[in-house]
Amino acid sequence: MTIADIKQNAQGKMDQSIQAFKSNLTKIRTGRANPALLDTIHVEYYGNHVPLSQVANVSLLDARTISVQPWEKGMGAKIEKAIRESDLGLNPASMGDLIRVPMPPMSEERRKEMTKIVRSEGENAKIAIRNLRRDANEAVKKLVKDKEATEDDQKRTEADIQKVTDKHIAEIDVLVASKEKDIMEV
């Protein structure tokens, strides 16, 4: 493995960490409705548990209401039950074939809890990025030890990896601040 491979590998894995963090953020509830909120819900479908998005069309009716349109007639009750039993605290209402999922307004206390969760997720993402930096630096040190790279290469590479790490950590801080702003908005 060359220094270029190590840097490229670290960059790619850090990008993946950011994507995973963004995905986790979409699942954290704000006051606004978001179809991605229901991504974690699985529904019983012919003996298998499948994601809600595979048995119904999930979209927004308005800023505070998610609509779920089952593709089969008999799925409405199962979908409604799955949403109600999820830990999201949602109460769906059937209107014929369409299931409406209104987003209840969050209390101030709940908003503060949610911002703590966001900060915690952000800190976990930063830890993952720092671990990737450490792994990359160790790989470079091994190259130097094996006499495949010079100590000057090591210093330059560690500085480059630090710049990439700083950029990714700054991106996480921006995402956390943005999500906190969304949550605290009434």
Side-chain angles (χ1 to χ4, degrees), residues 83-127:
I83 294 171
R84 194 168 285 121
E85 289 176 353
S86 72
D87 60 352
L88 297 173
L90 300 173
N91 193 16
S94 256
M95 293 177 52
D97 288 344
L98 182 73
I99 299 169
R100 295 171 51 109
V101 184
M103 300 301 293
M106 291 196 293
S107 67
E108 189 68 24
E109 186 179 313
R110 183 73 174 137
R111 288 176 194 278
K112 287 181 180 163
E113 278 177 38
M114 296 307 263
T115 59
K116 285 180 187 170
I117 291 170
V118 168
R119 284 192 197 118
S120 163
E121 287 285 334
E123 198 51 47
N124 290 342
K126 287 180 188 179
I127 289 168

Side-chain angles (χ1 to χ4, degrees), residues 53-70:
S53 58
Q54 291 183 8
V55 294
N57 185 24
V58 181
S59 60
L60 288 178
L61 282 178
D62 56 55
R64 287 209 167 299
T65 312
I66 300 172
S67 75
V68 180
Q69 180 78 48

Side-chain angles (χ1 to χ4, degrees), residues 47-185:
N48 294 323
H49 285 283
V50 296
L52 179 61
S53 58
Q54 291 183 8
V55 294
N57 185 24
V58 181
S59 60
L60 288 178
L61 282 178
D62 56 55
R64 287 209 167 299
T65 312
I66 300 172
S67 75
V68 180
Q69 180 78 48
W71 292 329
E72 288 184 25
K73 290 270 188 223
M75 289 302 296
K78 289 180 182 176
I79 291 172
E80 214 176 319
K81 180 180 177 206
I83 294 171
R84 194 168 285 121
E85 289 176 353
S86 72
D87 60 352
L88 297 173
L90 300 173
N91 193 16
S94 256
M95 293 177 52
D97 288 344
L98 182 73
I99 299 169
R100 295 171 51 109
V101 184
M103 300 301 293
M106 291 196 293
S107 67
E108 189 68 24
E109 186 179 313
R110 183 73 174 137
R111 288 176 194 278
K112 287 181 180 163
E113 278 177 38
M114 296 307 263
T115 59
K116 285 180 187 170
I117 291 170
V118 168
R119 284 192 197 118
S120 163
E121 287 285 334
E123 198 51 47
N124 290 342
K126 287 180 188 179
I127 289 168
I129 298 287
R130 290 183 193 119
N131 287 341
L132 292 169
R133 174 189 61 193
R134 185 200 60 224
D135 294 345
N137 286 341
E138 284 175 2
V140 172
K141 284 178 186 164
K142 186 178 184 311
L143 286 179
V144 171
K145 185 179 163 210
D146 296 342
K147 305 250 187 281
E148 293 176 29
T150 66
E151 287 187 18
D152 289 344
D153 290 338
Q154 178 185 353
K155 295 279 187 239
R156 260 193 307 275
T157 304
E158 285 178 356
D160 291 345
I161 291 171
Q162 185 59 47
K163 285 178 190 165
V164 171
T165 302
D166 292 343
K167 184 186 97 180
H168 283 83
I169 285 181
E171 187 176 345
I172 289 171
D173 287 337
V174 167
L175 290 169
V176 166
S178 169
K179 188 68 173 187
E180 283 181 352
K181 184 175 170 260
D182 270 0
I183 290 172
M184 294 312 282
E185 229 171 60

